[in-house]
Each structure stands twice: as C-alpha cells, then as structure tokens.
Amino acid sequence: MLYKFALLGFGPGGWGWALLQGAAITISIALATLPFGLALGLIVALCKRSESIVLRAFATVYTTVFRGVPELLTLYIIYFGIQILVQKIWSGFSIPPFVAGMVALGMVLAAFSSEVWVGALNSIQKGQREAAAALGLSKPQAFRLVVFPQLIRVALPGLGNNWMVLLKETSLVSVITLPDIMFITTRANVVTKEPFLFFGAAMLIYFGFSLISAWGIGRMEKHTNRGYAAFGGTTR
C-alpha cells in the first residue's frame, strides 16, 4: 500500500513532478482560453443584437454549430483538419497542440458564453444608453463606462459556470498529445497498472481547481455587487 502512494511522490520512480507539470498545463490552457473565448462570445452576442440581418444570421449559425458539435470533434477539426488543409498550401505549417486546444475550446466557449452575454445585455435598460448619450458620450464610451460594468455584474454567475465547464473540458487536449493532467495520469496508469491511484489523483486535482475557482468567483461576485441595492436595481 505504501509503495502505491510512493508512486505519487517526488522521489525516484514517483510521478509527483509529472503530475504537477500536467496540472500547470491544464490551468495554463484554461487561463489562455478564457479571455479569448469570452471576448469572442461578447462579439457574437453583439452580432446577435445587431440591426444587420447578416450579422444576426452569422451569430445564430455560429452558436448553433458550436453548441451542437461535440467539443472533441471541434478539437480534431482544428488540430488535424485545418493543419492538413493549410499544409497543401504551406508544406511547413504546423499547429502547436497548445494553440489548437486553446482555439478549439475557445470557439466552443464563445458559443456558450454568447448566450450569457445576450441575457445580460437584455437586462440593461435602454434608458441607461439614452442617459449616456444625453451626457455626450459616444457609443463606445457609453458601452465602456456605463454598460460594461453592469454587464459584468449580471453575466458573472453564468460566465463562472462556463469557466467551471471549461476546466473539465481541458481534459480533451490529452488526445492531441498535450501533456495535461489526463495525459500524464493515463501514461502513468499504463506504466504502473494503477488506474485507481492515478485517476483518483487526477480527480482530486480537478476538484481542487474547482474549489479554488468557486471561491474566486464568489469573491468576484461579491466585489461586483458592492453598493448595489437589493431592491430596485439602483446603486446607492
């Protein structure tokens, strides 16, 4: 029994350092994907509310496709399909697994987060923008100074849920040989024949990330809600 737990250690024959490196890769790709996916999701949400029928159609098709196609298939298309397609034009082209994973997961995240952004945008009263215009603010200024701070407060719970889902979806990048937690634990299981030990360790690592994330999201929600009246929806 002690020998089994020694396999998780940092000494000779232990997989401790490899697991730490895998955890670092997992959190790195999640953190790299988050701003890309959320920014793209906000653009898609703005397209959905655009007066242009072309932009609305594009946003609808985008969310329908990427919410309906399995994330693993999206990852394969980005990493293998696009790479092979571009190599027909540029023979030396290759996509690093990290970049492919970030792009694929980010595009899926954008599709789901756009619905959160749309709901948050719809909750902001039109009078807020009219008041900003009356003060002489341009549309970009009104969005940055008036709309966006309120948008974050309303969207944060839904975006926090998207982040938690993203953390779990990072495990998919192991199939394109990116050495994340799942890749390392799968390899360790093949070598040691101890699936319960290593997959259990992976579960605890993901659970730890989730606990820290839940705490952080709670703190952010508390911060964005400071000074917000519980009744009437106005700031004090």
Side-chain angles (χ1 to χ4, degrees):
M1 182 62 70
L2 291 177
Y3 164 75
K4 291 183 178 181
F5 285 104
L7 292 173
L8 299 175
F10 298 94
W15 289 80
W17 290 116
L19 288 172
L20 282 181
Q21 291 171 356
I25 292 293
T26 291
I27 199 67
S28 295
I29 194 168
L31 290 174
T33 300
L34 186 66
F36 168 64
L38 294 186
L40 182 58
L42 180 57
I43 293 172
V44 173
L46 292 174
C47 288
K48 279 193 171 185
R49 291 169 49 87
S50 172
E51 295 179 357
S52 169
I53 188 173
V54 175
L55 291 178
R56 291 200 306 271
F58 160 76
T60 301
V61 171
Y62 180 92
T63 54
T64 301
V65 169
F66 284 100
R67 290 173 67 191
V69 175
E71 291 86 347
L72 184 59
L73 182 56
T74 302
L75 183 60
Y76 280 150
I77 290 173
I78 297 294
Y79 185 63
F80 294 110
I82 291 182
Q83 190 163 223
I84 292 173
L85 185 64
V86 176
Q87 282 178 348
K88 293 181 179 179
I89 304 172
W90 179 17
S91 59
F93 177 81
S94 64
I95 302 176
F98 189 96
V99 174
M102 184 193 74
V103 171
L105 295 178
M107 294 180 76
V108 175
L109 174 63
F112 285 93
S113 65
S114 67
E115 299 300 319
V116 178
W117 288 122
V118 168
L121 285 167
N122 290 339
S123 71
I124 298 175
Q125 297 177 355
K126 186 179 179 181
Q128 299 279 341
R129 297 179 181 84
E130 293 174 345
L135 292 173
L137 298 178
S138 64
K139 286 186 176 181
Q141 288 176 324
F143 183 83
R144 179 171 60 88
L145 299 174
V146 178
V147 176
F148 191 71
Q150 300 179 69
L151 191 64
I152 288 294
R153 182 187 62 80
V154 177
L156 190 56
L159 297 179
N161 184 60
N162 289 156
W163 162 256
M164 301 292 272
V165 173
L166 173 64
L167 268 177
K168 294 183 292 183
E169 288 180 345
T170 57
S171 61
L172 296 174
V173 300
S174 62
V175 302
I176 56 173
T177 69
L178 194 64
D180 70 324
I181 295 173
M182 285 304 300
F183 182 88
I184 297 298
T185 51
T186 300
R187 194 173 73 171
N189 169 55
V190 171
V191 173
T192 65
K193 311 301 182 186
E194 294 289 347
F196 184 80
L197 178 66
F198 284 101
F199 291 135
M203 180 189 70
L204 291 177
I205 293 172
Y206 281 112
F207 184 62
F209 284 156
S210 297
L211 286 179
I212 295 171
S213 298
W215 175 82
I217 293 168
R219 296 282 295 180
M220 292 174 64
E221 289 183 9
K222 185 177 180 180
H223 178 74
T224 56
N225 283 320
R226 70 193 188 285
Y228 185 80
F231 302 98
T234 58
T235 55
R236 291 185 287 204

